[in-house]
Amino acid sequence: MSGRLPLQLHIPMPLSRPGQSPRFDHINLSAAGEVRRPDPCTPEREVRDLPQLLVRVLDDAGRAVGPWNPVLPDGILMQALRAMMQTRIFEDRMFRAHRQGKTSFFMKSTGEEAIGVAQALALAPDDMCFPTYRVQGWLIARGYPLVDMMNQVYSNAHDPLKGRQLPVMYSARDYGFYSLSGNLGNRFGHAVGWAMASAYKGDHRIALGIVGEGTTAEGGFHEAMTFASVYRAPVILAVTNNQWAISSYAGIAGAEETTFAAKATGYGMPGLRVDGNDVLAVWAATCWAAERARQNCGPSLIEFLTYRAAGHSTSDDPTRYRPADEAAHWPLGDPIARLKQHLIIQGLWSEARHVQLEAELQDEVRAVQKEAEAIGTLGQSKPPLDEMFEDVFKEADWRLIEQRRELGL
Amino acid sequence: MTMVQALNSALDVMLARDPDILIFGEDVGYFGGVFRVTDGLQQKYGAPRCFDAPIAEGGIIATAIGMGAYGLRPVVEIQFADYILPAFDQLASEAARLRYRSNGEFWAPITVRAPYGGGIFGGQTHSQSPEALFAHVCGLKTVIPSNPFDAKGLLIAAIECDDPVIFLEPKRLYHGPFDGHPEQATRSWAGHPAAEVPEGYYNVPLGAAAIVRSGHDATVLAYGTMVHVALAGIAESGIDAELIDLRSLVPLDIDTIMASVQKTGRCVILHEASRFGGFGAELSALVQERCFYHLESPILRVTGWDTPYPHAFEWDYFPGPARLAAALRRVMED
């Protein structure tokens, strides 16, 4: 046909690349306190505006404002601050330990600490989180022993996972933290099944499933959303949108024309878009969705808008694909700095006490690291070799017994 | 009972015994399954115990794993084994490894039922035998019955097993034994000794093969539909072969296999799945390693061809009794 331009294949590209000025003007933000807070059991058709808005509690001055303010006790806020700071310090030290050759791999959650920490504290101890590898704050907020996290990272003789797993792929059942693996999106559906089981048993427990924005492209995301919706599973499905899936920006995952929260609409569940660097907003949204789930009103999807301030992993160099100073321009700031500011304007905290706490936590983590390294770092120490053959099945079959013998065990 | 009735009875018995057992899959609820294996169970036990699932095999297995981690024992159905591949990542990367990677904190006591195998003009996507894919995955158990009695007992054992079990049901045997002679009239299970199935609870342990026919001259290793084909093939060959029905591929009853081949000195492996990299290759390697000095001839494999399962060429593809008989004669010549 004449008169028509040839078709063109569209390849999404981020607004800025290395050497260019960071730009985030494509990200729609609402003012703190601006978004309404409907009753958690409101039917989905009445909350279809929410996925395009942004639930925020802390304003630029650090005040907690609006209907989503969870009005938390001071002690809880301090607990959250401490856990977020400890998470960052822990991760920085482990990242350095990798550079020193003490382990093979590590991943940081820098800039995303508010999400795991607030969720860990807001949900009930017997709820279950189906995490990604970037939710270490959950374990730290719930008091999982730091030394065990380090032993796992070092795969040493005291590694709780017996040296079988890549660093940061923790499993901590007693802390409501489901076993991680490297296959993205697979456990989103496990969260739904776990929640269905709780409903089947007539219990009161709920599940939290988490994926990154890149993983929303996996089929497992769609399957989990479908099953959650069909069976009204008591589950909170969360998308941590940190803008980057390794080197691919969120547009490659489908965010150019819409939000990830908006995906909820097609499944008939409410979608919330929440400031992921605002610990109070994360808390409030998690509780809203938890209340909805516990009242048998079904699942919800929450997009936590945040920014992956560090590289994807120790194997990644983000300056190869994004401006080096992009994190500093992220409009939602830093979650620790924002909570600190909030506590200071409330008269609960000061710069001096913050510096002091930071030093205390540094000492604490350093002491734990010494303890872990006394057990051993990767290759210096490892669990008993026969552990390699355990837990493949409940009981080893003849193959495993023979193969263990082949190794002289 | 037919195999369908025996499987239905196993599910019925287990639903009655354990409230943590539940069943779901595509069309298994109200309708009772496209092969009637779950017929009547929703009516008897209520929708939460036996319900329909969206058409999403990955979602079915994913939610079953989550339920297993919670403490339930889901028994899920994949309508045809040909359609299990969308769930392969869930089975191989999650169900199979959950116990190992979590140091036993979590596990997935799930049973995945799937009709498999050909001989029914099912074409490319209603005939496949994917057992080798699962047998190769560390952490999965793979079970295949060949008659109604074993079907019920093995399914009960699979449901009770704390490890994930892939339970492949030879759909060609659902209503009667089939010896690979399509020109003969279809037979029913009526009158077959293995169709005498107790109404109540019993199990057939996983990992125990059955010697279906004792013999001295050669050993035939088979499972599923091929057990019946093997009986016909042995009869047609006139050779006194011993026939072993493996019943479970993982765990494998290596002792029964070794004892037989060390006695006969010859081994023919029969399976419907294609040959290259099939489960027969593992069997052949095991027999070779363990029975080398007893072997009097090369181990032969009679299998489906290394092609997709064709429609018009059903009986050219299907490894029937004549091909087994020829292989038996060949091993006897060496």
PDB file of all heavy atoms in Angstrom, chain B residues 195-207:
ATOM      1  N   ALA B 195      -6.448 -56.688  37.967  1.00  0.00           N
ATOM      2  CA  ALA B 195      -7.617 -55.812  38.060  1.00  0.00           C
ATOM      3  C   ALA B 195      -8.422 -56.087  39.325  1.00  0.00           C
ATOM      4  O   ALA B 195      -9.418 -55.430  39.594  1.00  0.00           O
ATOM      5  CB  ALA B 195      -8.501 -55.976  36.819  1.00  0.00           C
ATOM      6  N   GLU B 196      -7.977 -57.092  40.081  1.00  0.00           N
ATOM      7  CA  GLU B 196      -8.577 -57.352  41.408  1.00  0.00           C
ATOM      8  C   GLU B 196      -7.991 -56.327  42.368  1.00  0.00           C
ATOM      9  O   GLU B 196      -6.877 -56.483  42.857  1.00  0.00           O
ATOM     10  CB  GLU B 196      -8.201 -58.766  41.877  1.00  0.00           C
ATOM     11  CG  GLU B 196      -8.811 -59.879  41.061  1.00  0.00           C
ATOM     12  CD  GLU B 196     -10.324 -59.924  41.218  1.00  0.00           C
ATOM     13  OE1 GLU B 196     -10.790 -59.750  42.367  1.00  0.00           O
ATOM     14  OE2 GLU B 196     -11.027 -60.105  40.202  1.00  0.00           O
ATOM     15  N   VAL B 197      -8.732 -55.278  42.638  1.00  0.00           N
ATOM     16  CA  VAL B 197      -8.188 -54.177  43.435  1.00  0.00           C
ATOM     17  C   VAL B 197      -8.988 -54.044  44.719  1.00  0.00           C
ATOM     18  O   VAL B 197     -10.204 -53.845  44.672  1.00  0.00           O
ATOM     19  CB  VAL B 197      -8.232 -52.859  42.626  1.00  0.00           C
ATOM     20  CG1 VAL B 197      -7.727 -51.695  43.476  1.00  0.00           C
ATOM     21  CG2 VAL B 197      -7.402 -52.994  41.351  1.00  0.00           C
ATOM     22  N   PRO B 198      -8.339 -54.116  45.879  1.00  0.00           N
ATOM     23  CA  PRO B 198      -9.056 -53.920  47.139  1.00  0.00           C
ATOM     24  C   PRO B 198      -9.699 -52.528  47.201  1.00  0.00           C
ATOM     25  O   PRO B 198      -9.128 -51.557  46.694  1.00  0.00           O
ATOM     26  CB  PRO B 198      -7.970 -54.059  48.204  1.00  0.00           C
ATOM     27  CG  PRO B 198      -6.832 -54.754  47.534  1.00  0.00           C
ATOM     28  CD  PRO B 198      -6.907 -54.406  46.088  1.00  0.00           C
ATOM     29  N   GLU B 199     -10.845 -52.452  47.841  1.00  0.00           N
ATOM     30  CA  GLU B 199     -11.550 -51.164  47.950  1.00  0.00           C
ATOM     31  C   GLU B 199     -10.798 -50.205  48.878  1.00  0.00           C
ATOM     32  O   GLU B 199     -10.799 -49.003  48.669  1.00  0.00           O
ATOM     33  CB  GLU B 199     -12.952 -51.379  48.536  1.00  0.00           C
ATOM     34  CG  GLU B 199     -13.904 -52.165  47.635  1.00  0.00           C
ATOM     35  CD  GLU B 199     -14.386 -51.351  46.446  1.00  0.00           C
ATOM     36  OE1 GLU B 199     -14.367 -50.097  46.538  1.00  0.00           O
ATOM     37  OE2 GLU B 199     -14.754 -51.972  45.430  1.00  0.00           O
ATOM     38  N   GLY B 200     -10.182 -50.727  49.908  1.00  0.00           N
ATOM     39  CA  GLY B 200      -9.612 -49.875  50.955  1.00  0.00           C
ATOM     40  C   GLY B 200      -8.166 -49.498  50.717  1.00  0.00           C
ATOM     41  O   GLY B 200      -7.659 -49.515  49.591  1.00  0.00           O
ATOM     42  N   TYR B 201      -7.484 -49.200  51.826  1.00  0.00           N
ATOM     43  CA  TYR B 201      -6.114 -48.721  51.777  1.00  0.00           C
ATOM     44  C   TYR B 201      -5.107 -49.854  51.615  1.00  0.00           C
ATOM     45  O   TYR B 201      -5.203 -50.870  52.284  1.00  0.00           O
ATOM     46  CB  TYR B 201      -5.799 -47.965  53.085  1.00  0.00           C
ATOM     47  CG  TYR B 201      -4.352 -47.574  53.188  1.00  0.00           C
ATOM     48  CD1 TYR B 201      -3.914 -46.345  52.725  1.00  0.00           C
ATOM     49  CD2 TYR B 201      -3.401 -48.456  53.725  1.00  0.00           C
ATOM     50  CE1 TYR B 201      -2.572 -45.995  52.800  1.00  0.00           C
ATOM     51  CE2 TYR B 201      -2.067 -48.115  53.800  1.00  0.00           C
ATOM     52  CZ  TYR B 201      -1.658 -46.889  53.331  1.00  0.00           C
ATOM     53  OH  TYR B 201      -0.339 -46.540  53.400  1.00  0.00           O
ATOM     54  N   TYR B 202      -4.167 -49.686  50.726  1.00  0.00           N
ATOM     55  CA  TYR B 202      -2.958 -50.501  50.690  1.00  0.00           C
ATOM     56  C   TYR B 202      -1.951 -49.695  49.889  1.00  0.00           C
ATOM     57  O   TYR B 202      -2.320 -48.731  49.215  1.00  0.00           O
ATOM     58  CB  TYR B 202      -3.184 -51.876  50.036  1.00  0.00           C
ATOM     59  CG  TYR B 202      -3.470 -51.815  48.552  1.00  0.00           C
ATOM     60  CD1 TYR B 202      -2.450 -51.937  47.602  1.00  0.00           C
ATOM     61  CD2 TYR B 202      -4.761 -51.605  48.096  1.00  0.00           C
ATOM     62  CE1 TYR B 202      -2.721 -51.848  46.247  1.00  0.00           C
ATOM     63  CE2 TYR B 202      -5.048 -51.522  46.735  1.00  0.00           C
ATOM     64  CZ  TYR B 202      -4.025 -51.640  45.819  1.00  0.00           C
ATOM     65  OH  TYR B 202      -4.298 -51.543  44.475  1.00  0.00           O
ATOM     66  N   ASN B 203      -0.697 -50.052  49.964  1.00  0.00           N
ATOM     67  CA  ASN B 203       0.232 -49.362  49.075  1.00  0.00           C
ATOM     68  C   ASN B 203       1.205 -50.342  48.448  1.00  0.00           C
ATOM     69  O   ASN B 203       1.365 -51.473  48.911  1.00  0.00           O
ATOM     70  CB  ASN B 203       0.963 -48.224  49.777  1.00  0.00           C
ATOM     71  CG  ASN B 203       1.908 -48.694  50.851  1.00  0.00           C
ATOM     72  OD1 ASN B 203       2.710 -49.597  50.616  1.00  0.00           O
ATOM     73  ND2 ASN B 203       1.826 -48.098  52.033  1.00  0.00           N
ATOM     74  N   VAL B 204       1.773 -49.891  47.361  1.00  0.00           N
ATOM     75  CA  VAL B 204       2.850 -50.620  46.685  1.00  0.00           C
ATOM     76  C   VAL B 204       4.075 -49.734  46.825  1.00  0.00           C
ATOM     77  O   VAL B 204       4.088 -48.605  46.338  1.00  0.00           O
ATOM     78  CB  VAL B 204       2.520 -50.850  45.189  1.00  0.00           C
ATOM     79  CG1 VAL B 204       3.718 -51.434  44.460  1.00  0.00           C
ATOM     80  CG2 VAL B 204       1.301 -51.755  45.048  1.00  0.00           C
ATOM     81  N   PRO B 205       5.102 -50.194  47.528  1.00  0.00           N
ATOM     82  CA  PRO B 205       6.228 -49.291  47.823  1.00  0.00           C
ATOM     83  C   PRO B 205       6.945 -48.790  46.573  1.00  0.00           C
ATOM     84  O   PRO B 205       7.087 -49.517  45.587  1.00  0.00           O
ATOM     85  CB  PRO B 205       7.153 -50.152  48.691  1.00  0.00           C
ATOM     86  CG  PRO B 205       6.691 -51.552  48.542  1.00  0.00           C
ATOM     87  CD  PRO B 205       5.263 -51.528  48.103  1.00  0.00           C
ATOM     88  N   LEU B 206       7.388 -47.538  46.659  1.00  0.00           N
ATOM     89  CA  LEU B 206       8.197 -46.989  45.569  1.00  0.00           C
ATOM     90  C   LEU B 206       9.575 -47.646  45.616  1.00  0.00           C
ATOM     91  O   LEU B 206      10.078 -47.982  46.688  1.00  0.00           O
ATOM     92  CB  LEU B 206       8.354 -45.471  45.732  1.00  0.00           C
ATOM     93  CG  LEU B 206       7.070 -44.653  45.913  1.00  0.00           C
ATOM     94  CD1 LEU B 206       7.393 -43.155  45.911  1.00  0.00           C
ATOM     95  CD2 LEU B 206       6.047 -44.964  44.836  1.00  0.00           C
ATOM     96  N   GLY B 207      10.158 -47.835  44.453  1.00  0.00           N
ATOM     97  CA  GLY B 207      11.516 -48.379  44.427  1.00  0.00           C
ATOM     98  C   GLY B 207      11.576 -49.890  44.401  1.00  0.00           C
ATOM     99  O   GLY B 207      12.652 -50.460  44.557  1.00  0.00           O
TER     100      GLY B 207
END
